[in-house]
Amino acid sequence: WEPFFQIRMLATALPLCMLSLASSTVASSLRASALARRSMFRVKLRGGLSLLRQAETTSVSPENKRGLSSGVASNEPVDTIVQYVVVRRDLKDQWGTGPLIAQACHASTAALWLSRDEEYTKTYTEGLDAMHKVILSAKNENALRKAAKTLEEGGVKCKLWIEQPENIPTALATFPRPRSEIKSLTKGLQLFKD
């Protein structure tokens, strides 16, 4: 009930014309929260009331976010926005796990910076405590380059990290996108395991 109480307190401070919008949005979101465990509510005031709901099974896409801002709430599961990171498995024995993780971090940070003005990235980074990443492994340099090419040809931008001064491709990270846009393009890769 704490989220409801906070929303009600904010709703009373809004002009009366916004109150009906807030009530309908709150009511539909509260019904949806009964279905989702560990739901978290956040109220934002930016050009009106928008209620963003994040649940472990859903995330807010830019399209849904705009829909919520206009007062239209959806209880449909949303395609989770994720970032895929692919690291070279063959470097683990030579470099160790720590340096390999650093390469993944370099690629991820670079991809987020390069895509900082895109809507999916803005939405992805707004929920800092709810970001999703999938870490995959490529057998070697050829497999990593092939994954980068497959992603680019499939319309998913990515950053291939090349460690300097060695000039060695070590990892890649996609720009944040809905999982459904990326998953089919990474079928030949396996989850990274230590």
Side-chain angles (χ1 to χ4, degrees):
W1 290 107
E2 183 179 319
F4 178 74
F5 180 73
Q6 291 170 350
I7 292 167
R8 269 319 256 186
M9 284 179 45
L10 283 170
T12 58
L14 294 173
L16 288 176
C17 64
M18 294 297 293
L19 201 49
S20 64
L21 171 62
S23 297
S24 66
T25 304
V26 169
S28 64
S29 293
L30 286 176
R31 280 192 299 277
S33 71
L35 302 174
R37 291 180 303 211
R38 293 184 349 187
S39 292
M40 178 174 67
F41 292 89
R42 182 167 46 122
V43 173
K44 290 177 85 176
L45 298 173
R46 189 188 317 159
L49 176 71
S50 71
L51 182 65
L52 300 181
R53 179 179 56 85
Q54 293 178 329
E56 63 184 11
T57 58
T58 63
S59 69
V60 180
S61 70
E63 293 79 17
N64 247 13
K65 186 175 169 185
R66 282 191 286 277
L68 287 170
S69 296
S70 64
V72 179
S74 172
N75 294 337
E76 297 286 322
V78 182
D79 199 3
T80 303
I81 298 174
V82 298
Q83 182 180 43
Y84 276 64
V85 179
V86 183
V87 294
R88 281 182 51 187
R89 184 81 174 141
D90 63 322
L91 295 177
K92 184 183 172 293
D93 294 333
Q94 299 169 27
W95 293 17
T97 303
L100 196 55
I101 291 171
Q103 299 304 304
C105 292
H106 292 324
S108 176
T109 304
L112 287 174
W113 178 255
L114 292 171
S115 65
R116 67 189 174 276
D117 295 327
E118 295 188 12
E119 283 299 315
Y120 284 124
T121 302
K122 290 176 184 178
T123 302
Y124 181 76
T125 56
E126 273 183 0
L128 285 178
D129 293 331
M131 291 192 286
H132 292 82
K133 283 190 178 37
V134 176
I135 312 300
L136 302 172
S137 63
K139 286 190 309 190
N140 52 35
E141 180 180 342
N142 289 338
L144 183 67
R145 287 185 183 276
K146 181 180 176 186
K149 183 178 178 185
T150 300
L151 287 164
E152 293 285 345
E153 288 174 352
V156 176
K157 294 180 185 176
C158 63
K159 170 61 177 166
L160 178 63
W161 184 258
I162 300 177
E163 182 65 9
Q164 297 299 331
E166 297 89 352
N167 205 32
I168 299 173
T170 58
L172 73 79
T174 65
F175 290 14
R177 290 289 179 270
R179 185 182 307 263
S180 64
E181 289 182 21
I182 304 173
K183 190 172 183 176
S184 64
L185 300 172
T186 60
K187 284 189 176 179
L189 302 171
Q190 295 180 347
L191 285 174
F192 181 83
K193 294 178 184 168
D194 191 24

